[in-house]
């Protein structure tokens, strides 16, 4: 271990003595030490491959593994059992020749159903977290970067005007609604025009009231976060999913829409501290525009905690989806998900325990992998812990 | 101090108004009307539906419905659509049922996670820490309902005691020790289940807080003073590490409602979570809205309490 | 040297920090001694191992990743390395006390000043509560805190930076230690406050007849306070001697470089001298003399051979055979 660093013969002044490593190499060196996180990463990649091949093999009109093929005479067969070939039609014979993970109460092949469910879990996790991360970065970024600006009274009024108009149109009062909408848009047009002309006139006295500052953008967004945090999240998701027509997309959207608050807070806090830093001031002094400062200079520095919370968010979303399926509000049948395989299996828990244990353990392993990987990322990306190494 | 409390109070009131509006909108803008919930149900004759609509002001515009609803709620007149019982009374009964579960679960969570987390932090990187870490992740990642079934199988096959419901059917005739044992069994499993995820999360958090604090300069100062390690860890470090937990303490309250839906459904425990679940199934809007409202109030009360506790605990904050 | 008079002697101390693929030799064979009632300064750029060597006296190096790889630390004739935790606790704060660099973060934010000073007394001496209180107030008076009785119940955040550092000093003095280690106690303070604290330290040292090991990177402070000086570079002592020796007849190119980079009145209007390059990382030191890449006098031999200490007499030693015009490579 103790070795004189394989040294170049001449130590010039400009030559750094420590070996030069890119950020990625350093990151990997640190990450490698966390064996649990590596395990998580491997399972994560495996799961991704399985889900993808699962999608290919179980979809289409004539799938290799048919997850919805009912063979009532073959119900509740244990894993690794051989099918009774004499009772099956040729197209009903399982592709592998055996029921690898058994069959359920309708004689459907659990292995095919698990393959199909993997893709569902994966997409629910990624899409839901994608939605929440996009909303979170957007809201957090605005609150952190433009937070100190105030919303003027006229802007509030225009917003009220527009939404009232929209509401009226929605409730079949099209005439009045249209009037309000036109008024609102006219005012916006007027404001834009003023900005284009770019004369910063002092507004006349009687309009001063309209330019009164109300609340700051930061307050607005953070209060919104508070409001969202007031809802009991699982109960809210359950309510909304129950009220909406059952579909996998609704579940993704609802989970995404109810879980963006954490990301918003992270990004806001990160932006608040970043915008005070010298490199941002330097960029601003160089005349770089806001958009470029946000996305080129600040975002790369703020992305680390978002990445971590997104990884762990995927795990949570998979668990939530499974919980919803379990309660009967999940992805509608006949589409298989790990949650509803488990939910169907609970009635046969003593006769056919594999119906509970196969999906249960799969969810456990995948969620565990995401969590371990996420925590590993957090450790590596945390500069404080890095110093201690 | 007083002005802080006043400001925070007003803020919370405004928040709760918005929460009430949003939850009302979510429910009423969703497709499907309560009268169409179950068109095949013979009890829902057109006359019944008509009476229904009148009784619950469903023909009024939305903002009037909103006002009517919250007027009823605050005067205690809200009734469930399903069985015409007073919602507040129903919630209170169910709440009393949930309470023992909640209390036992909370006690388990807070008494177990602290020792585990602190020990992990002090012996960082050791065998104890690594196994505690792995088990916490395991418990965080296991789906609650799956874990519930594993426990049920274990308990039922090993100890041959039934665990579903609040008590075994017909046991109230038996002698009181067996009734008590029966009660405890029925209470224990769901509480343990409810606590596991909490223990895992909280002990991780305790650990990271302790690690953070142990690296601070004042801990080094305390060591340099010649204090024994126990005083350093449990007085100087722990006291600082505890401060953020005051916030979490305020967040226990809302757990009363949100966290119990799945567990209470599995164990057919007639608590508040199960009631909420049944209300969703039956589209019993007054119950759903009230549960939502009550839990939002609990969240706000919880954060309010933790804000005040924070001021008491951390001498740096004086307003 | 007179052993009766030596309070602390550090001999060939080696402290290494190990990580997966590197070994950082933070302190790499350092020897120094402190006599009774003497103020010794340990000078060097940040990262040269000053603080680590001081922390290892009190056994405060976190192990792992740190490890004491060799050497000895004799305090009053007692070997401190390898002493058990409980024996060390009796010495810490009682016979050797320490004042740290950042007074803001070094005081526990949730306990009052009185608590924290009283704690140090309570732990080492078995005396009544009232007496502890009286002593705390006396200590606060000694370090120049106004209205000490009221300040007892103040929290650290309610004090100014200078006052906090005074409290730290009071805490260090609580049990009348023989040695106070002051680790850059004035670096985080304003210049005016800095000189007050230095004055305070000097007067206390005289009154209480104790020794001070003062760690700093600021040569101005050294000139102000030190009896003897050790200049450290990259984990080793580069030069040692009396303050007079170091400031007037420095023999090591590193010390000379440091002195040349001091702004003085006579150099007004001139460009300040600076030593080219930076301190090598403790994990990747160059072979031979660690200073040779930055040294204006370096010869080929400096790259290959580790230099020994050259004795200029009167306790003045420098680790630079090139400057030692004696034609022989010192051992």
């Amino acid at each position: 271990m103790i070795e004189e660093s394989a040294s170049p013969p001449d130590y010039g002044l400009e030559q750094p003595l420590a070996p030069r490593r890119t950020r990625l190499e350093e990151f990997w060196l640190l990450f490698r030490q966390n064996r649990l996180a590596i395990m998580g990463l491997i399972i994560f990649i495996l799961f991704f491959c399985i889900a993808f091949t699962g999608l290919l093999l179980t979809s289409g009109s004539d799938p290799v593994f048919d997850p919805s093929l009912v063979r009532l005479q073959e119900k509740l067969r244990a894993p690794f059992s051989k099918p009774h070939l004499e009772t099956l039609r040729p197209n009903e014979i399982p592709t592998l020749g055996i029921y690898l993970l058994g069959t359920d109460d309708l004689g459907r092949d659990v292995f095919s159903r698990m393959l199909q469910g993997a893709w569902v879990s994966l997409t629910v996790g990624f899409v839901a977290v994608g939605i929440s991360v996009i909303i979170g970065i957007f809201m957090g970024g605005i609150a952190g970067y433009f937070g100190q600006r105030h919303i003027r009274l006229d802007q509030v009024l225009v917003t009220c005007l527009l939404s009232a108009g929209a509401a009226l149109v929605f409730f079949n009062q099209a005439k009045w609604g249209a009037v309000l909408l036109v008024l609102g848009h006219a005012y916006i047009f007027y404001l834009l025009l003023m900005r284009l002309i770019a004369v910063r006139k002092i507004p006349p006295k009687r309009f001063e009231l309209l330019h009164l500052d109300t609340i700051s953008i930061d307050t607005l967004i953070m209060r919104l976060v508070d409001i969202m945090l007031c809802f009991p999240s699982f109960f809210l998701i359950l309510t909304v999913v129950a009220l909406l027509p059952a579909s996998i997309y609704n579940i993704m959207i609802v989970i995404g829409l109810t879980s963006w608050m954490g990301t918003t807070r992270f990004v806001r806090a990160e932006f608040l501290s970043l915008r005070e830093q010298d490199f941002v001031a330097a960029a601003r002094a160089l005349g770089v525009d806001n958009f470029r400062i946000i996305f080129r200079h600040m975002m790369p520095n703020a992305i680390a905690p978002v990445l971590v919370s997104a990884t762990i968010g995927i795990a949570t979303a998979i668990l939530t989806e499974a919980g919803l399926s379990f309660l009967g509000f999940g992805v509608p049948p006949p589409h298989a998900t790990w949650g509803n395989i488990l939910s169907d299996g609970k009635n046969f828990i003593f006769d056919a325990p594999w119906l509970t244990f196969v999906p249960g353990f799969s969810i456990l392993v995948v969620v565990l992998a995401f969590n371990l990987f996420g925590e590993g990322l957090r450790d590596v990306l945390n500069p404080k812990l890095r110093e201690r190494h | 101090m007083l002005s802080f409390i006043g400001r925070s109070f007003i803020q919370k009131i405004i928040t709760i108004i918005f929460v009430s509006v949003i939850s009302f909108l979510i429910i009423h803008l969703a497709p499907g009307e309560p009268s169409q919930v179950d068109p095949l149900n013979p009890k829902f004759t057109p006359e019944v539906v008509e009476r229904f609509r009148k009784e619950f002001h469903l023909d009024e515009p939305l903002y009037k419905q909103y006002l009517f609803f919250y007027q009823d709620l605050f005067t205690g007149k809200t009734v469930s659509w399903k069985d015409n019982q007073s919602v507040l009374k129903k919630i209170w009964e169910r709440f009393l049922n949930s309470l023992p579960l909640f209390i036992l679960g909370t006690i388990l969570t807070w008494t177990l996670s602290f020792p585990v987390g602190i020990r992990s932090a002090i012996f960082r990187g050791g065998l104890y820490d690594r196994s505690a870490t792995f088990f916490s992740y395991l418990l965080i990642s296991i789906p609650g309902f799956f874990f519930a079934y594993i426990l049920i199988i274990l308990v039922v096959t090993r100890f041959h005691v039934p665990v579903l419901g609040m008590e075994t059917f017909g046991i109230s005739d038996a002698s009181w020790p067996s009734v008590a044992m029966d009660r405890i069994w029925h209470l224990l499993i769901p509480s343990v289940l409810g606590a596991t995820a909490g223990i895992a999360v909280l002990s991780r958090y305790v650990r990271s807080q302790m690690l953070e604090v142990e690296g601070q300069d004042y801990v080094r100062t305390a060591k340099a003073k010649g204090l024994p390690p126990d005083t350093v860890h449990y007085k100087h470090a722990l006291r600082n590490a505890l401060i953020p937990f005051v916030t979490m303490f305020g967040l226990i309250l809302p757990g009363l409602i949100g966290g119990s839906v799945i567990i209470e459904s599995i164990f057919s425990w007639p608590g508040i979570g199960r009631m909420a679940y049944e209300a969703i199934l039956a589209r019993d809007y007054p119950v759903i809205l009230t549960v939502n409202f009550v839990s939002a109030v609990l969240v706000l009360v919880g954060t309010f309490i933790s804000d005040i506790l924070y001021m008491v605990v951390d001498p740096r904050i004086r307003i | 040297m007179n052993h009766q008079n030596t309070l602390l002697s550090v001999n060939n101390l080696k402290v290494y920090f190990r990580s997966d693929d590197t070994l950082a030799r933070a302190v790499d064979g350092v020897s120094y001694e402190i006599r009774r009632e003497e103020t010794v300064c340990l000078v060097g750029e940040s990262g040269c191992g000053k603080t680590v060597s001081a922390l290892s006296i009190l056994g405060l190096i976190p192990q792992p990743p740190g490890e004491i790889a060799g050497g000895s630390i004799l305090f009053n004739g007692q070997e401190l390395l390898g002493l058990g935790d409980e024996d060390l606790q009796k010495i810490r704060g009682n016979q050797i006390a320490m004042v740290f660099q950042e007074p803001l973060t070094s005081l526990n934010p949730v306990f009052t000043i009185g608590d924290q000073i009283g704690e140090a007394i309570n732990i080492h001496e078995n005396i009544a509560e009232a007496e502890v209180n009286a002593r705390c107030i006396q200590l606060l008076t000694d370090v120049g805190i106004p209205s000490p009785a009221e300040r007892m119940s103040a929290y650290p955040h309610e004090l100014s930076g200078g006052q906090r550092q005074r409290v730290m000093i009071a805490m260090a003095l609580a049990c009348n230690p023989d040695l106070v280690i002051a680790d850059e106690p004035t670096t985080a303070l304003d210049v005016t406050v800095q000189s007050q604290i230095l004055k305070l330290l000097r007067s206390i040292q005289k009154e209480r007849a104790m020794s001070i090991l003062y760690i700093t990177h600021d040569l101005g402070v050294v000139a102000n306070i030190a009896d003897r000086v050790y200049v450290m570079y990259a984990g080793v002592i580069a030069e040692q001697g009396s303050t007079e020796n170091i400031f007037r007849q420095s023999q090591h190119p590193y010390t000379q470089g440091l002195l040349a980079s001091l702004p003085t009145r006579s150099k007004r209007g001139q460009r300040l001298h600076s030593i080219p390059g930076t301190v090598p990382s403790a994990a990747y030191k160059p072979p031979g003399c660690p200073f040779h890449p930055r040294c204006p006098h370096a010869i080929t031999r400096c790259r290959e051979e580790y230099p020994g200490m050259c004795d200029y007499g009167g306790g003045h030693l420098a680790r630079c055979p090139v400057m030692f015009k004696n034609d022989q490579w010192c051992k």
Side-chain angles (χ1 to χ4, degrees), chain A residues 232 327 346 371-372 375 384, chain B residues 137 141 149 212 276-277 280 295:
Chain A
L327 288 176
K346 74 186 176 209
N371 277 328
L372 289 176
E375 290 291 328
K384 257 187 214 152
Chain B
Y137 284 132
S141 310
Y149 281 115
E212 173 91 34
Y277 175 56
I280 291 174
S295 71

Side-chain angles (χ1 to χ4, degrees), chain B residues 16 51 75 99 103 132 160 163 168 174 187 216 280 282 284 286 309:
Chain B
I16 200 79
R51 190 177 57 84
T75 48
L99 205 58
I103 292 177
H160 304 287
V163 287
T168 309
L187 184 61
Q216 296 289 326
I280 291 174
D284 195 347
L309 277 180

Side-chain angles (χ1 to χ4, degrees), chain A residues 350-368:
Chain A
F350 290 103
D351 307 326
W354 62 90
L355 285 183
T356 308
F357 280 89
V358 167
F361 272 116
S362 309
I363 297 172
L364 171 62
V365 168
V366 168
V367 172
L368 186 65

Side-chain angles (χ1 to χ4, degrees), chain B residues 74-131:
Chain B
F74 285 113
T75 48
K77 280 193 293 198
T78 322
V79 290
S80 158
W81 286 356
K82 210 169 95 190
D83 47 16
N84 258 353
Q85 280 182 334
S86 160
V87 171
L88 289 179
K89 205 174 124 228
K90 249 176 113 164
I91 288 186
W92 178 247
E93 280 167 9
R94 295 302 190 101
F95 170 76
L96 289 183
N97 283 341
S98 279
L99 205 58
L101 261 188
F102 169 72
I103 292 177
L104 190 58
T106 310
I107 291 176
L108 281 176
T109 308
W110 286 74
T111 48
L112 287 180
S113 48
F114 272 86
V116 173
I118 293 170
R119 224 179 116 83
S120 287
I122 292 175
F123 301 105
R124 179 180 190 230
L127 184 68
Y128 179 87
D129 180 30
R130 275 182 294 155
S131 40

Side-chain angles (χ1 to χ4, degrees), chain C:
Chain C
M1 256 157 253
N2 188 350
H3 277 279
Q4 297 300 293
N5 213 7
T6 306
L7 180 66
L8 177 91
S9 80
V10 174
N11 286 309
N12 201 22
L13 179 69
K14 290 179 175 164
V15 186
Y16 296 164
F17 289 88
R18 196 181 283 279
S19 75
D20 264 12
D21 51 351
T22 54
L23 183 80
R25 291 169 295 166
V27 174
D28 203 8
V30 158
S31 308
Y32 51 85
E33 61 166 28
I34 299 161
R35 298 172 204 146
R36 286 181 195 283
E37 301 175 38
E38 182 188 43
T39 303
V40 170
C41 268
L42 208 52
V43 195
E45 285 165 281
S46 49
C48 73
K50 302 166 294 191
T51 304
V52 172
S53 78
L55 285 175
S56 50
I57 296 174
L58 286 175
L60 289 178
I61 299 291
Q63 297 177 359
E67 61 185 60
I68 308 278
S72 81
I73 299 175
L74 288 174
F75 177 72
N76 269 336
Q78 186 188 12
E79 173 63 54
L80 294 187
L81 292 182
L83 216 53
D85 239 11
E86 292 192 9
D87 295 316
L88 267 176
Q89 281 159 32
K90 281 180 199 136
I91 292 172
R92 289 178 195 156
N94 194 14
Q95 293 166 40
I96 306 177
M98 195 151 177
V99 178
F100 291 102
Q101 180 173 4
E102 294 281 345
L104 174 61
T105 54
S106 296
L107 288 168
N108 196 327
V110 299
F111 295 113
T112 61
I113 306 300
D115 275 347
Q116 296 189 51
I117 301 177
E119 190 180 32
I121 304 174
N122 269 326
I123 202 86
H124 295 296
E125 290 170 42
N126 195 9
I127 52 179
E129 194 59 35
E131 213 172 319
V132 171
N133 249 342
R135 189 137 135 215
C136 288
I137 294 176
Q138 182 57 45
L139 280 165
L140 287 178
T141 321
D142 289 351
V143 296
I145 299 258
S147 54
E150 283 114 73
R151 284 298 179 196
M152 287 282 286
S153 57
Y155 286 94
H157 70 275
E158 295 164 334
L159 304 179
S160 69
Q163 283 189 328
R164 279 186 211 132
Q165 198 55 285
R166 285 171 195 268
V167 170
M168 280 298 289
I169 293 172
M171 208 154 80
L173 297 176
C175 295
N176 265 322
D178 300 320
L179 172 66
V180 170
I181 302 173
D183 184 5
E184 310 222 14
T186 58
T187 309
L189 303 176
D190 288 345
V191 185
T192 46
V193 183
Q194 195 172 346
S195 67
Q196 289 169 11
I197 295 282
L198 282 180
K199 212 184 275 174
L200 173 72
L201 276 174
R202 251 191 332 228
S203 74
I204 286 173
Q205 191 242 348
K206 285 219 178 66
E207 261 168 50
R208 305 207 170 204
M210 57 181 197
S211 312
I212 293 180
L213 173 60
Y214 196 101
I215 297 168
T216 182
H217 64 260
D218 185 347
L219 281 171
V221 173
V222 176
N224 210 328
I225 196 171
D227 296 321
R228 283 189 311 117
V229 182
Y230 290 85
V231 181
M232 263 185 95
Y233 185 79
V236 292
I237 300 286
E239 185 167 8
Q240 68 186 71
S242 65
T243 315
E244 179 77 14
N245 290 154
I246 297 294
F247 279 87
R248 301 241 181 265
Q249 306 121 28
S250 60
Q251 299 295 337
H252 196 283
Y254 176 60
T255 320
Q256 290 165 353
L258 281 183
L259 287 168
S261 53
L262 272 183
T264 59
R265 212 165 292 168
S266 61
K267 285 189 281 191
R268 182 180 287 248
Q270 296 172 24
R271 203 173 257 280
L272 271 182
H273 174 80
S274 68
I275 309 177
T278 53
V279 185
S281 123
Y284 301 96
K285 284 185 204 170
C289 173
F291 187 61
H292 84 253
R294 306 170 71 186
C295 183
H297 307 283
I299 55 173
T300 328
R301 206 170 171 187
C302 295
R303 273 187 214 160
E304 290 144 12
E305 222 168 310
Y306 188 72
M309 276 292 202
C310 309
D311 196 343
Y312 289 88
H316 185 195
L317 293 98
R319 197 180 288 280
C320 185
V322 180
M323 305 296 285
F324 194 59
K325 308 272 188 285
N326 221 346
D327 252 11
Q328 68 192 48
W329 198 260
C330 318
K331 283 297 160 202

